[in-house]
Amino acid sequence: DASFLSNTLTFGDGKKGNDYVDGFTSSAQSVIWQVRVPKPQRFRLTVRYACDPSNSRMGEDEVLVVQTGAKTGEFLILPKSGIQEETMEVLLGTRFRGRDEIRIHLGNGARGSVRLYGVKLMPLEETDGEIRPQFEREEDKTDTGTQEG
């Protein structure tokens, strides 16, 4: 489950199309997932988010920041309608007892409003010097809502 570093972030109602974290308006707000990986492993991390294109506060240099251990990805937030999807490759499982953290927040100086729709982790494997998905079908490994299990 995700934890918030802000009391203004909220979950949507969880119904289809409303499964998101809402209320991102400043760089001081973060969503954090604690993940445990038994051994070092490469993953494709995909972030799905959207912004309100009519938000007049959205600047041209707004970024969504994704941090995992020593790696940071910054993705330009385009003021357009619809869900945007960004992907980066990360290495998890290198910290003490395989405990890692995925942290998502807006970049410094953010003025717009963003909804976070989900985060996916897809294990990658190296075969013959080529890195590819370990499984053929992508599965949600982490999302913004409560997981049953």
Side-chain angles (χ1 to χ4, degrees):
D1 291 344
S3 61
F4 297 154
L5 282 185
S6 171
N7 58 3
T8 59
L9 293 175
T10 60
F11 284 116
D13 63 18
K15 295 179 181 170
K16 187 172 181 165
N18 292 330
D19 50 346
Y20 53 78
V21 173
D22 200 14
F24 279 100
T25 57
S26 81
S27 59
Q29 301 165 310
S30 293
V31 176
I32 301 169
W33 287 270
Q34 299 292 327
V35 294
R36 222 180 237 180
V37 181
K39 63 180 183 169
Q41 168 87 41
R42 291 190 184 283
F43 289 87
R44 179 184 304 139
L45 186 147
T46 303
V47 181
R48 298 179 69 233
Y49 61 94
C51 72
D52 180 357
S54 65
N55 189 339
S56 60
R57 295 177 3 152
M58 186 62 72
E60 292 181 7
D61 57 351
E62 303 277 341
V63 294
L64 186 71
V65 180
V66 179
Q67 295 174 302
T68 60
K71 186 150 188 178
T72 299
E74 291 188 354
F75 303 110
L76 188 62
I77 300 170
L78 302 174
K80 64 178 188 176
S81 61
I83 295 175
Q84 299 175 60
E85 192 170 283
E86 300 288 352
T87 302
M88 63 190 271
E89 187 176 307
V90 298
L91 178 64
L92 299 175
T94 60
R95 297 191 167 225
F96 181 69
R97 294 187 178 168
R99 294 179 185 176
D100 282 286
E101 180 178 280
I102 299 170
R103 178 184 297 247
I104 298 178
H105 60 91
L106 295 179
N108 289 332
R111 298 175 304 279
S113 179
V114 174
R115 279 186 177 168
L116 179 63
Y117 281 90
V119 175
K120 290 181 185 179
L121 286 175
M122 171 61 120
L124 300 173
E125 64 182 353
E126 188 169 347
T127 307
D128 300 326
E130 186 178 327
I131 296 175
R132 66 181 108 202
Q134 189 171 353
F135 305 106
E136 289 193 27
R137 187 177 143 229
E138 287 194 25
E139 299 178 38
D140 272 340
K141 299 296 181 187
T142 306
D143 65 19
T144 59
T146 303
Q147 296 180 354
E148 296 181 23

